[in-house]
Amino acid sequence: KNEVEQSPQNLTAQEGEFITINCSYSVGISALHWLQQHPGGGIVSLFMLSSGKKKHGRLIATINIQEKHSSLHITASHPRDSAVYICAVPLGGSQGNLIFGKGTKLSVKP
Amino acid sequence: DAGVIQSPRHEVTEMGQEVTLRCKPISGHNSLFWYRQTMMRGLELLIYFNNNVPIDDSGMPEDRFSAKMPNASFSTLKIQPSEPRDSAVYFCASSLSGGITGELFFGEGSRLTVL
């Protein structure tokens, strides 16, 4: 059983749709990262959160520590949001000591 | 700020050859991480350093892999001898804090192909 599970694995949406990606984890301390990887391969950290909700532009991340669950929402999706979204949980010692989900591949059609 | 700089971006080599990947973290960051990404296994942590000291290398696959951080501005990941199953994208990342805070900044990755 994967210790960090994401759903869905693949997601296709029309431009403008509201998108939700889910992440559940069974290990780790009380924090979680959301990362974005574009087709070119580079990885960007979107959020690191340990409670509640964080918002950056059209992106919103929420976390429920008790339920070990996090969601990433994209409002008014755009083709440039097409990427792989990865959640990761620190195992302790350092925030970079991460165990990763398999990623959700998002494709937003114009 | 130049960000995390990795080199080479692409490397193609033959089985048995030595491979050295390089990383320059963001100036002032005190934690550095090496990750590997493959289609089969996704992203995995190989090793991380805090203040140039290796903290956890349990993710290093075997003795053929070694990593060093001789100073705060440079790290290497070496594979000797390389094997086809080492083909992957290797990412370096750095962060400002080695504790439980600190956003991660990733390099562009080094894509390794071992023939």
Side-chain angles (χ1 to χ4, degrees), chain B residues 26-98:
Chain B
I26 291 173
S27 178
H29 282 190
N30 61 349
S31 294
L32 182 140
F33 310 87
W34 283 101
Y35 302 100
R36 178 173 67 175
Q37 186 177 38
T38 62
M39 289 293 292
M40 289 295 295
R41 299 173 67 90
L43 274 162
E44 302 172 289
L45 175 69
L46 298 177
I47 185 171
Y48 74 94
F49 297 83
N50 196 29
N51 293 320
N52 312 339
V53 176
I55 302 300
D56 186 348
D57 65 354
S58 58
M60 297 284 262
E62 48 195 272
D63 291 346
R64 297 184 297 105
F65 285 68
S66 62
K68 294 182 179 179
M69 192 164 186
N71 56 62
S73 59
F74 184 66
S75 177
T76 59
L77 177 67
K78 186 175 293 187
I79 309 172
Q80 166 64 16
S82 58
E83 297 182 3
R85 60 192 167 124
D86 302 330
S87 299
V89 181
Y90 292 82
F91 287 97
C92 175
S94 69
S95 71
L96 183 56
S97 172

